[in-house]
Amino acid sequence: MAALVRPVEGRMIGGVCAALARRFGTSASTMRIIFLVSCLLPGPQFLLYLALWLLLPSEKSPAATAW
């Protein structure tokens, strides 16, 4: 299983759905659709997305690791 970090490539807004898709082995598009459908249900989905955006570390870019 991959580490839970927001990828540099494949982001749309914050990279949360791309990180979750990589972690669970699905496509980012599938994870985004699941998130959008879940927003129709009552609950704190949007707040959870914002919290994950703030708490998940961003993946290091290949250029940044050369130092």
Side-chain angles (χ1 to χ4, degrees), residues 35 37-49:
F35 174 72
V37 170
S38 75
C39 284
L40 298 174
L41 302 170
Q45 292 87 342
F46 187 71
L47 294 176
L48 181 64
Y49 185 92

Side-chain angles (χ1 to χ4, degrees), residues 17 22 30 44 46:
C17 288
R22 184 184 289 180
T30 302
F46 187 71

Side-chain angles (χ1 to χ4, degrees), residues 1-5 19 21-25:
M1 228 182 236
L4 194 54
V5 293
R22 184 184 289 180
R23 172 73 177 199
F24 295 113

Side-chain angles (χ1 to χ4, degrees), residues 1-56:
M1 228 182 236
L4 194 54
V5 293
R6 294 181 299 119
V8 174
E9 295 182 11
R11 291 184 179 183
M12 288 205 76
I13 298 177
V16 174
C17 288
L20 292 172
R22 184 184 289 180
R23 172 73 177 199
F24 295 113
T26 65
S27 70
S29 299
T30 302
M31 195 59 69
R32 290 179 186 119
I33 290 170
I34 290 170
F35 174 72
L36 288 175
V37 170
S38 75
C39 284
L40 298 174
L41 302 170
Q45 292 87 342
F46 187 71
L47 294 176
L48 181 64
Y49 185 92
L50 290 177
L52 287 173
W53 190 356
L54 293 172
L55 295 175
L56 288 180

